[in-house]
Amino acid sequence: IFKYKRFRAAFFSNILLVTFSTCASGYVLIYILYTMQKSTTLGSTSTMPSTILIMICGLFMGRILAKNFIKNIRVLMLLCAFCILAALSCFCLLQPDSSMALVWVGSALGGIGNSIAQTCLTPFFQFGLPPEDYAAAQGMYTFSGTCGSTVFVAVVGVLVNLTGGNIKVVFYSAAFLALINVILVLLRVRITDQDAAEVAALENK
Protein backbone atom coordinates (compact mmCIF):
# COMPACT_ATOMS: atom_id res chain seq x y z
CA ILE A 1 0.00 0.00 0.00
CA PHE A 2 2.82 2.40 0.83
CA LYS A 3 4.11 2.27 -2.74
CA TYR A 4 1.29 4.69 -3.66
CA LYS A 5 2.49 8.24 -3.04
CA ARG A 6 -0.94 9.68 -2.37
CA PHE A 7 -1.63 7.03 0.25
CA ARG A 8 1.70 7.74 1.95
CA ALA A 9 0.87 11.45 2.12
CA ALA A 10 -2.62 10.81 3.53
CA PHE A 11 -1.35 8.25 6.04
CA PHE A 12 1.32 10.49 7.56
CA SER A 13 -0.86 13.59 7.38
CA ASN A 14 -3.54 11.81 9.39
CA ILE A 15 -0.97 10.75 11.98
CA LEU A 16 -0.01 14.39 12.45
CA LEU A 17 -3.57 15.74 12.40
CA VAL A 18 -4.90 13.57 15.24
CA THR A 19 -2.68 15.42 17.70
CA PHE A 20 -5.27 18.20 17.73
CA SER A 21 -8.11 15.88 18.76
CA THR A 22 -5.90 14.32 21.43
CA CYS A 23 -5.09 17.74 22.88
CA ALA A 24 -8.64 19.09 22.62
CA SER A 25 -10.34 16.09 24.19
CA GLY A 26 -7.96 15.62 27.11
CA TYR A 27 -5.08 17.96 27.80
CA VAL A 28 -6.99 21.19 27.16
CA LEU A 29 -9.62 20.15 29.69
CA ILE A 30 -6.93 19.35 32.26
CA TYR A 31 -5.37 22.77 31.69
CA ILE A 32 -8.75 24.52 32.01
CA LEU A 33 -9.63 22.78 35.29
CA TYR A 34 -6.30 22.71 37.09
CA THR A 35 -4.28 25.62 35.70
CA MET A 36 -6.94 28.13 34.68
CA GLN A 37 -9.08 27.08 37.67
CA LYS A 38 -12.32 27.17 35.68
CA SER A 39 -15.45 25.25 36.62
CA THR A 40 -16.27 21.84 35.19
CA THR A 41 -19.26 23.44 33.47
CA LEU A 42 -17.00 25.80 31.51
CA GLY A 43 -14.51 23.02 30.93
CA SER A 44 -17.18 20.87 29.34
CA THR A 45 -17.74 23.53 26.68
CA SER A 46 -14.17 23.32 25.37
CA THR A 47 -14.96 20.87 22.56
CA MET A 48 -18.40 22.23 21.66
CA PRO A 49 -17.22 24.68 18.95
CA SER A 50 -15.22 21.90 17.30
CA THR A 51 -18.18 19.52 17.29
CA ILE A 52 -20.55 22.18 15.94
CA LEU A 53 -18.16 23.26 13.16
CA ILE A 54 -17.53 19.66 12.09
CA MET A 55 -21.29 19.15 11.73
CA ILE A 56 -21.89 22.44 9.88
CA CYS A 57 -18.90 22.18 7.54
CA GLY A 58 -19.71 18.56 6.78
CA LEU A 59 -22.98 19.67 5.19
CA PHE A 60 -21.28 21.44 2.29
CA MET A 61 -17.59 20.46 2.28
CA GLY A 62 -18.14 17.48 -0.02
CA ARG A 63 -20.02 19.65 -2.48
CA ILE A 64 -17.12 22.13 -2.62
CA LEU A 65 -14.64 19.30 -3.19
CA ALA A 66 -16.75 17.76 -5.95
CA LYS A 67 -16.91 20.97 -8.00
CA ASN A 68 -13.27 20.65 -9.05
CA PHE A 69 -11.71 17.72 -7.22
CA ILE A 70 -8.20 17.92 -8.65
CA LYS A 71 -7.81 21.64 -7.94
CA ASN A 72 -9.79 21.89 -4.71
CA ILE A 73 -8.23 18.91 -2.91
CA ARG A 74 -4.93 20.76 -2.51
CA VAL A 75 -6.55 24.07 -1.56
CA LEU A 76 -8.78 22.46 1.04
CA MET A 77 -5.99 20.38 2.56
CA LEU A 78 -3.81 23.47 2.87
CA LEU A 79 -6.69 25.21 4.62
CA CYS A 80 -7.05 22.18 6.87
CA ALA A 81 -3.36 22.15 7.77
CA PHE A 82 -3.26 25.86 8.58
CA CYS A 83 -6.49 25.66 10.62
CA ILE A 84 -5.08 22.85 12.77
CA LEU A 85 -1.82 24.77 13.22
CA ALA A 86 -3.73 27.92 14.18
CA ALA A 87 -5.92 25.96 16.60
CA LEU A 88 -2.93 24.47 18.39
CA SER A 89 -1.23 27.87 18.42
CA CYS A 90 -4.24 29.17 20.35
CA PHE A 91 -3.71 26.42 22.92
CA CYS A 92 -0.01 27.33 23.12
CA LEU A 93 -1.02 30.90 24.03
CA LEU A 94 -3.11 29.80 27.00
CA GLN A 95 -2.12 31.22 30.38
CA PRO A 96 -3.61 30.70 33.86
CA ASP A 97 -5.58 33.95 33.49
CA SER A 98 -6.62 33.44 29.84
CA SER A 99 -10.21 33.82 28.73
CA MET A 100 -12.19 30.78 27.67
CA ALA A 101 -12.69 32.61 24.36
CA LEU A 102 -9.16 31.57 23.35
CA VAL A 103 -10.04 27.93 23.97
CA TRP A 104 -13.25 28.25 21.98
CA VAL A 105 -11.49 29.91 19.04
CA GLY A 106 -8.89 27.14 18.98
CA SER A 107 -11.60 24.50 19.21
CA ALA A 108 -13.56 26.09 16.34
CA LEU A 109 -10.51 26.29 14.08
CA GLY A 110 -9.70 22.67 14.84
CA GLY A 111 -13.27 21.70 13.98
CA ILE A 112 -12.94 23.31 10.56
CA GLY A 113 -9.62 21.54 9.99
CA ASN A 114 -10.97 18.16 11.10
CA SER A 115 -14.06 18.53 8.92
CA ILE A 116 -11.89 19.16 5.86
CA ALA A 117 -9.60 16.24 6.67
CA GLN A 118 -12.55 13.87 7.08
CA THR A 119 -13.89 14.96 3.70
CA CYS A 120 -10.66 15.11 1.70
CA LEU A 121 -8.09 12.56 2.80
CA THR A 122 -9.95 9.38 1.85
CA PRO A 123 -10.86 10.42 -1.73
CA PHE A 124 -7.34 11.81 -2.10
CA PHE A 125 -5.59 8.52 -1.42
CA GLN A 126 -8.25 6.55 -3.33
CA PHE A 127 -7.67 8.58 -6.50
CA GLY A 128 -6.00 6.16 -8.90
CA LEU A 129 -5.82 3.38 -6.31
CA PRO A 130 -6.68 -0.08 -7.72
CA PRO A 131 -10.09 -1.16 -6.39
CA GLU A 132 -8.61 -4.38 -5.01
CA ASP A 133 -6.44 -2.30 -2.65
CA TYR A 134 -9.27 -0.16 -1.25
CA ALA A 135 -9.94 -2.36 1.78
CA ALA A 136 -6.29 -2.64 2.83
CA ALA A 137 -5.72 1.08 2.27
CA GLN A 138 -8.79 2.09 4.29
CA GLY A 139 -7.76 -0.21 7.11
CA MET A 140 -4.25 1.20 7.23
CA TYR A 141 -5.56 4.76 7.01
CA THR A 142 -7.88 4.15 9.96
CA PHE A 143 -4.96 2.63 11.86
CA SER A 144 -2.89 5.78 11.24
CA GLY A 145 -5.24 7.82 13.43
CA THR A 146 -5.04 5.35 16.32
CA CYS A 147 -1.29 4.99 15.87
CA GLY A 148 -0.69 8.74 15.83
CA SER A 149 -2.77 9.34 18.95
CA THR A 150 -1.20 6.44 20.87
CA VAL A 151 2.38 7.40 20.08
CA PHE A 152 1.71 11.08 20.74
CA VAL A 153 0.22 10.40 24.19
CA ALA A 154 3.16 8.17 25.11
CA VAL A 155 5.78 10.70 24.03
CA VAL A 156 4.16 13.78 25.59
CA GLY A 157 3.54 11.80 28.78
CA VAL A 158 7.28 11.45 29.13
CA LEU A 159 7.81 15.13 28.30
CA VAL A 160 5.26 16.24 30.88
CA ASN A 161 7.02 14.18 33.54
CA LEU A 162 10.41 15.59 32.55
CA THR A 163 9.11 19.17 32.79
CA GLY A 164 7.50 18.72 36.19
CA GLY A 165 3.91 18.40 34.99
CA ASN A 166 3.91 21.28 32.51
CA ILE A 167 0.86 20.61 30.29
CA LYS A 168 1.88 23.37 27.89
CA VAL A 169 4.64 21.13 26.54
CA VAL A 170 1.87 18.97 25.05
CA PHE A 171 0.50 21.94 23.10
CA TYR A 172 3.96 22.98 21.91
CA SER A 173 4.69 19.44 20.71
CA ALA A 174 1.37 19.19 18.88
CA ALA A 175 1.88 22.60 17.24
CA PHE A 176 5.33 21.51 16.04
CA LEU A 177 3.82 18.38 14.49
CA ALA A 178 1.08 20.51 12.90
CA LEU A 179 3.79 22.66 11.33
CA ILE A 180 5.38 19.52 9.89
CA ASN A 181 1.97 18.63 8.46
CA VAL A 182 1.76 22.02 6.74
CA ILE A 183 5.09 21.30 5.06
CA LEU A 184 3.94 17.76 4.15
CA VAL A 185 0.75 19.07 2.54
CA LEU A 186 2.66 21.77 0.65
CA LEU A 187 5.07 19.21 -0.77
CA ARG A 188 2.97 16.06 -1.21
CA VAL A 189 -0.75 16.74 -1.39
CA ARG A 190 -1.42 17.49 -5.02
CA ILE A 191 -2.81 15.75 -8.09
CA THR A 192 -0.93 16.75 -11.21
CA ASP A 193 -2.28 16.74 -14.76
CA GLN A 194 -0.05 13.73 -15.42
CA ASP A 195 -1.58 11.87 -12.47
CA ALA A 196 -5.09 12.66 -13.75
CA ALA A 197 -4.18 11.52 -17.27
CA GLU A 198 -2.75 8.24 -15.99
CA VAL A 199 -5.86 7.53 -13.91
CA ALA A 200 -8.13 8.39 -16.85
CA ALA A 201 -6.15 6.02 -19.09
CA LEU A 202 -6.50 3.19 -16.58
CA GLU A 203 -10.24 3.79 -16.22
CA ASN A 204 -10.71 3.71 -20.00
CA LYS A 205 -9.05 0.31 -20.35
Side-chain angles (χ1 to χ4, degrees), residues 11-181:
F11 181 89
F12 289 110
S13 182
N14 196 42
I15 285 179
L16 297 169
L17 286 172
V18 295
T19 55
F20 166 78
S21 298
T22 306
C23 285
S25 62
Y27 294 102
V28 170
L29 180 58
I30 293 172
Y31 192 86
I32 291 170
L33 296 180
Y34 298 105
T35 302
M36 296 171 64
Q37 297 291 307
K38 302 293 185 181
S39 68
T40 53
T41 302
L42 271 179
S44 66
T45 66
S46 62
T47 58
M48 287 179 61
S50 179
T51 304
I52 293 170
L53 264 297
I54 288 175
M55 180 184 68
I56 293 174
C57 292
L59 296 175
F60 58 85
M61 200 61 67
R63 192 173 302 172
I64 294 173
L65 182 63
K67 285 183 178 180
N68 189 337
F69 177 77
I70 292 176
K71 177 184 176 182
N72 289 347
I73 190 73
R74 177 172 170 78
V75 174
L76 287 174
M77 280 308 301
L78 282 172
L79 179 60
C80 165
F82 280 110
C83 279
I84 295 295
L85 178 59
L88 290 166
S89 297
C90 287
F91 296 159
C92 290
L93 293 174
L94 287 173
Q95 299 296 329
D97 58 349
S98 293
S99 166
M100 280 295 295
L102 187 58
V103 175
W104 294 330
V105 169
S107 179
L109 287 168
I112 295 171
N114 273 340
S115 176
I116 296 172
Q118 290 172 11
T119 303
C120 295
L121 280 177
T122 297
F124 172 69
F125 77 71
Q126 286 183 344
F127 187 80
L129 192 72
E132 61 269 20
D133 289 330
Y134 279 5
Q138 190 60 52
M140 285 298 296
Y141 173 74
T142 302
F143 166 74
S144 70
T146 306
C147 173
S149 180
T150 302
V151 173
F152 179 71
V153 168
V155 171
V156 297
V158 173
L159 294 177
V160 169
N161 285 333
L162 290 175
T163 56
N166 182 12
I167 297 297
K168 290 288 289 292
V169 72
V170 178
F171 307 148
Y172 295 143
S173 301
F176 176 72
L177 294 176
L179 178 60
I180 293 176
N181 184 58

